[in-house]
């Protein structure tokens, strides 16, 4: 089974900050990685697929990078609407989600 | 635009079978390009992938749940289903259905998702 280790689990930041969340796979998953944003009581929203492809309609301040086992989600300038929980997901065969990163207002 | 909607009982007794259905509507892509998945989220916790099925009927499951799970698709009714047997309180969660489209060597991730349905396991 492929395990996904996401860090940090909690991140405190301010509006306008640049933040990075990291996801590490226990073995190579090529580019088969997605990032989701989830707000309380809502279904996750797809932000990034295939590691670096921006989903249609998602603001360009969100970007993804990486391949193999190391991946990052970067938000270039935090906006008030971005405070939420973020999950990575690998889909190289069987799927696995990371543990999540709660992005809080500092 | 593709839309998904979960349905089923919100309360299931321990040791019984949890059964949910996801109705598919809208969309313009061929249904043969979609993988149909189930994901769950216990209250206050993270997301857990349950499994996915292809239009052909091939299914893939989380190894930790594989012995208790069946996911099936009914293309004529445009719906797919989840059955989880021998449930316990640990299976209490919001259950989401979601669609993944793959074509020409590219695979999008899960999008869209259903709104989710809370299933509580309790006597």
């Amino acid at each position: 089974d492929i395990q996904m280790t996401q860090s940090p689990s909690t991140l405190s930041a301010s509006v306008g900050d640049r933040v990075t969340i990291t996801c590490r796979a226990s073995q190579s998953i090529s580019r088969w990685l997605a990032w989701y944003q989830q707000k309380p009581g809502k279904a996750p929203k797809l932000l990034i697929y295939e590691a670096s492809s921006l989903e249609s309609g998602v603001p360009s301040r969100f970007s993804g990078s990486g391949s193999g086992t190391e991946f990052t989600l970067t938000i270039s300038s935090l906006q008030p609407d971005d405070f939420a929980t973020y999950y990575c997901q690998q889909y190289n065969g069987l799927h696995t989600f990371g543990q999540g990163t709660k992005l809080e207002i500092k | 635009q593709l839309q998904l909607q979960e349905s089923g009982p919100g309360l299931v007794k321990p040791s019984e079978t949890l059964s949910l259905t996801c109705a598919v509507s809208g969309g313009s892509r061929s249904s043969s390009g979609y993988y149909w998945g189930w994901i769950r989220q216990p209250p206050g916790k993270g997301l857990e992938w349950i499994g996915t099925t292809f239009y052909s009927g091939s299914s893939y499951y989380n190894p930790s749940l594989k012995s208790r799970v069946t996911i099936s698709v009914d293309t004529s009714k445009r719906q797919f289903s989840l059955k989880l047997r021998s449930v316990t309180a640990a299976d209490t969660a919001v259950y989401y259905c979601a669609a993944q489209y793959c074509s020409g060597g590219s695979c999008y991730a899960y999008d869209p998702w259903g709104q989710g349905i809370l299933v509580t396991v309790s006597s």
Side-chain angles (χ1 to χ4, degrees):
Chain A
D1 304 359
I2 298 175
Q3 307 302 316
M4 302 302 294
T5 303
Q6 190 174 337
S7 61
S9 56
T10 305
L11 181 57
S12 296
S14 302
V15 172
D17 284 354
R18 177 185 180 91
V19 300
T20 298
I21 300 169
T22 298
C23 213
R24 179 179 293 115
S26 60
Q27 65 189 71
S28 177
I29 57 170
S30 185
R31 69 184 191 277
W32 304 117
L33 184 106
W35 291 97
Y36 300 88
Q37 177 193 69
Q38 187 180 34
K39 295 183 177 179
K42 300 294 187 182
K45 173 188 174 183
L46 177 63
L47 301 174
I48 302 284
Y49 62 94
E50 290 187 13
S52 60
S53 296
L54 191 68
E55 173 71 351
S56 176
V58 174
S60 59
R61 63 181 180 273
F62 291 92
S63 64
S65 65
S67 66
T69 61
E70 296 278 340
F71 302 87
T72 58
L73 172 71
T74 298
I75 309 173
S76 60
S77 179
L78 273 175
Q79 298 302 302
D81 190 49
D82 299 339
F83 292 95
T85 300
Y86 293 84
Y87 293 93
C88 63
Q89 178 215 4
Q90 69 82 17
Y91 51 103
N92 183 47
L94 304 185
H95 300 192
T96 318
F97 287 92
Q99 305 97 311
T101 295
K102 185 174 183 180
L103 180 52
E104 300 179 328
I105 300 175
K106 184 184 283 186
Chain B
Q1 187 174 356
L2 195 70
Q3 292 183 309
L4 306 178
Q5 178 69 59
E6 304 91 347
S7 62
L11 180 64
V12 180
K13 290 182 168 55
S15 80
E16 295 190 344
T17 296
L18 181 159
S19 296
L20 297 175
T21 297
C22 184
V24 180
S25 61
S28 57
R29 290 167 166 162
S30 168
S31 59
S32 64
Y34 280 101
Y35 289 82
W36 309 103
W38 288 96
I39 302 98
R40 70 181 183 179
Q41 185 171 36
K45 296 188 177 181
L47 300 168
E48 180 180 32
W49 178 71
I50 300 171
T52 191
T53 191
F54 196 44
Y55 82 101
S56 63
S58 301
S59 297
Y60 310 90
Y61 303 123
N62 185 324
S64 69
L65 299 170
K66 185 176 182 178
S67 64
R68 299 194 290 131
V69 172
T70 301
I71 296 174
S72 58
V73 61
D74 187 333
T75 53
S76 64
K77 292 183 178 179
R78 295 202 84 194
Q79 64 184 36
F80 57 104
S81 302
L82 168 69
K83 291 188 185 299
L84 180 63
R85 297 174 290 277
S86 304
V87 297
T88 69
D91 295 309
T92 294
V94 174
Y95 286 76
Y96 295 101
C97 60
Q100 177 186 22
Y101 185 73
C102 295
S103 176
S106 284
C107 266
Y108 301 88
Y110 283 127
D111 181 65
W113 295 57
Q115 64 184 24
I117 182 169
L118 175 62
V119 179
T120 300
V121 178
S122 175
S123 55

